[in-house]
Amino acid sequence: MDVGTLRRQRRLGGDFPGDAHSLIALKALGYADDHPQVVRAERELKKLEHETPDSVRIEPCFSPVWDTPSSPFACANPAWRKTTRDSARREWLMTKEIRFRGDWQYKNPAKVEPSGWVFEYENKWNPDVDDTAMVLLALRKIPTDNPKKRDECFVRG
């Protein structure tokens, strides 16, 4: 399976624990091994495996949104901030802002614009604080050709 296919597919639980717990719950509820949801849950878990002739490693999740803003900090290289790829990463991060008013609105009645980021490709229901903070740090540290859009994302986030 190629990376493009993985990006287009929605994850079941979004990470290893979520996928594993989904499969456990389905089996505990009595779903048969050949039920489409059980087959799907097993397939999602398999996607996280990296198998070689000598070993099997489990990737905890696919985390492109988390990884993208982390890279300039991990590289600790000022030249990184001047590259064209850097601009593409920043622009991509701004497109990944979650503007969906999820179920959090019922416990938090504040009149705020919805905003946040997740660690994976798509998950409008679960933007979280650590991924949002990491993206906001990257948006502030890295120069941009569109400071207005960046600043709007930053204020909402």
Side-chain angles (χ1 to χ4, degrees):
M1 179 175 299
D2 66 286
V3 173
T5 302
L6 285 173
R7 286 181 180 158
R8 288 188 296 275
Q9 292 183 344
R10 299 212 91 130
R11 301 281 302 137
L12 183 65
D15 57 15
F16 180 80
D19 289 353
H21 291 141
S22 296
L23 181 57
I24 291 166
L26 289 167
K27 294 305 293 173
L29 290 169
Y31 284 79
D33 290 344
D34 62 350
H35 187 279
Q37 291 302 325
V38 172
V39 172
R40 178 178 178 225
E42 289 172 344
R43 185 179 64 238
E44 294 298 326
L45 277 171
K46 274 300 227 190
K47 288 179 190 175
L48 296 172
E49 287 182 11
H50 297 282
E51 216 169 318
T52 68
D54 302 323
S55 69
V56 175
R57 293 178 292 114
I58 303 292
E59 183 173 358
C61 64
F62 298 114
S63 56
V65 175
W66 174 261
D67 297 342
T68 300
S70 301
S71 56
F73 303 107
C75 292
N77 182 351
W80 187 91
R81 297 187 311 203
K82 297 176 183 161
T83 68
T84 304
R85 286 177 45 190
D86 170 55
S87 176
R89 287 179 186 137
R90 182 185 48 257
E91 297 303 320
W92 182 79
L93 282 171
M94 287 192 272
T95 69
K96 293 310 208 179
E97 180 185 15
I98 306 296
R99 301 295 312 280
F100 176 75
R101 188 173 293 280
D103 55 1
W104 56 266
Q105 69 182 309
Y106 300 109
K107 298 272 185 179
N108 181 357
K111 301 292 183 214
V112 297
E113 284 189 73
S115 178
W117 283 263
V118 296
F119 68 90
E120 55 206 41
Y121 291 102
E122 300 290 337
N123 184 347
K124 70 180 186 176
W125 291 99
N126 296 308
D128 52 52
V129 174
D130 59 337
D131 298 301
T132 297
M134 200 64 182
V135 169
L136 294 177
L137 282 169
L139 290 178
R140 278 299 190 211
K141 282 187 99 43
I142 302 167
T144 181
D145 295 332
N146 193 346
K148 182 179 186 294
K149 183 176 180 180
R150 180 210 51 211
D151 291 348
E152 289 170 351
C153 286
F154 190 86
V155 168
R156 282 190 302 266

